[in-house]
Amino acid sequence: MFHENTEDMTIVYPGSFDPVTLGHIDITRRAAEFAHRLVVAVLDNPHKEPMFSVAERVSFLQDSLADVSNVEIDSFSGLLADYVVKKGADAVLRGLRCADDFGNEFPYAVCNKAISGGRVETIFLPASPEFVHVSSSIVREVANFGVVSDFVPPVVRVAIEKRFLILTDSVDS
Ligand code: ADP
């Protein structure tokens, strides 16, 4: 059950963040306004080959959110509901860009509540209009063609540029 006062609320914002985008940063900053403590948790998924390692993704988030005092960056593997309970959190935060996002998220929200014995709620925040089109997958897709999109924080831009410089060098040599 939620704390009586949102000032006591701990929220976990899980995701792949591969890489973190300005859409993720916007959702995090908005939620940090009403959460007491917000844990941004990078999922370490052994079944997916990521563009950036978990350590890199964590460090990009730390760099981009260093000025927000109640935000903590962490990583996790395994069942999200277990991780949320272990962190002493009350709710999962998810961002919604379109109706499809809601359709995908809704069963997970119901499931997380059920398997945590009613403890883990889900909070949905709508994407800000300027970021509804932004996704990590688009960033990765265009990066594969050597394009660094404007949708990412400066630290990620630099990392993508470096990655392509190195790849281009190794292809050239
Ligand atoms: P996934 O866990 O599906 O890999 P991501 O790492 O891409 O998710 O994103 C984590 C969360 O952030 C999800 O709830 C996703 O809907 C949300 N999100 C992603 N991009 C945006 C955006 N541009 N605006 C708002 N929310 C977003």
Side-chain angles (χ1 to χ4, degrees):
M1 192 163 75
F2 274 5
H3 286 101
E4 280 169 25
N5 194 325
T6 58
E7 281 168 20
D8 298 326
M9 197 194 288
T10 294
I11 298 175
V12 170
Y13 180 29
S16 304
F17 304 108
D18 186 32
V20 61
T21 68
L22 297 181
H24 296 129
I25 298 294
D26 176 64
I27 291 282
T28 306
R29 288 181 184 276
R30 284 163 57 203
E33 295 277 326
F34 61 82
H36 170 66
R37 179 173 157 242
L38 178 58
V39 182
V40 182
V42 175
L43 172 64
D44 184 1
N45 183 350
H47 304 297
K48 268 195 189 169
E49 181 65 44
M51 180 169 190
F52 292 105
S53 69
V54 169
E56 287 173 310
R57 285 179 268 158
V58 164
S59 109
F60 298 155
L61 281 157
Q62 279 167 340
D63 184 283
S64 310
L65 293 162
D67 59 309
V68 195
S69 62
N70 58 337
V71 169
E72 162 190 332
I73 316 298
D74 194 16
S75 63
F76 76 105
S77 55
L79 201 58
L80 175 62
D82 288 347
Y83 173 76
V84 173
V85 170
K86 193 183 91 189
K87 290 302 266 187
D90 307 281
V92 169
L93 171 68
R94 300 295 281 172
L96 299 179
R97 287 158 291 187
C98 57
D100 277 359
D101 271 356
F102 181 74
N104 292 330
E105 295 292 339
F106 185 74
Y108 287 104
V110 173
C111 174
N112 284 332
K113 175 117 174 148
I115 63 180
S116 63
R119 181 166 169 176
V120 175
E121 293 285 1
T122 298
I123 296 169
F124 295 115
L125 274 188
S128 294
E130 60 270 41
F131 300 123
V132 282
H133 59 293
V134 172
S135 71
S136 299
S137 56
I138 288 184
V139 170
R140 290 196 305 274
E141 223 167 286
V142 298
N144 281 324
F145 292 97
V147 177
V148 187
S149 82
D150 292 336
F151 306 160
V152 291
V155 65
V156 177
R157 280 192 73 89
V158 170
I160 293 176
E161 277 161 8
K162 263 195 200 153
R163 168 84 59 108
F164 277 95
L165 206 64
I166 292 162
L167 283 180
T168 312
D169 283 354
S170 61
V171 167
D172 289 349
S173 57

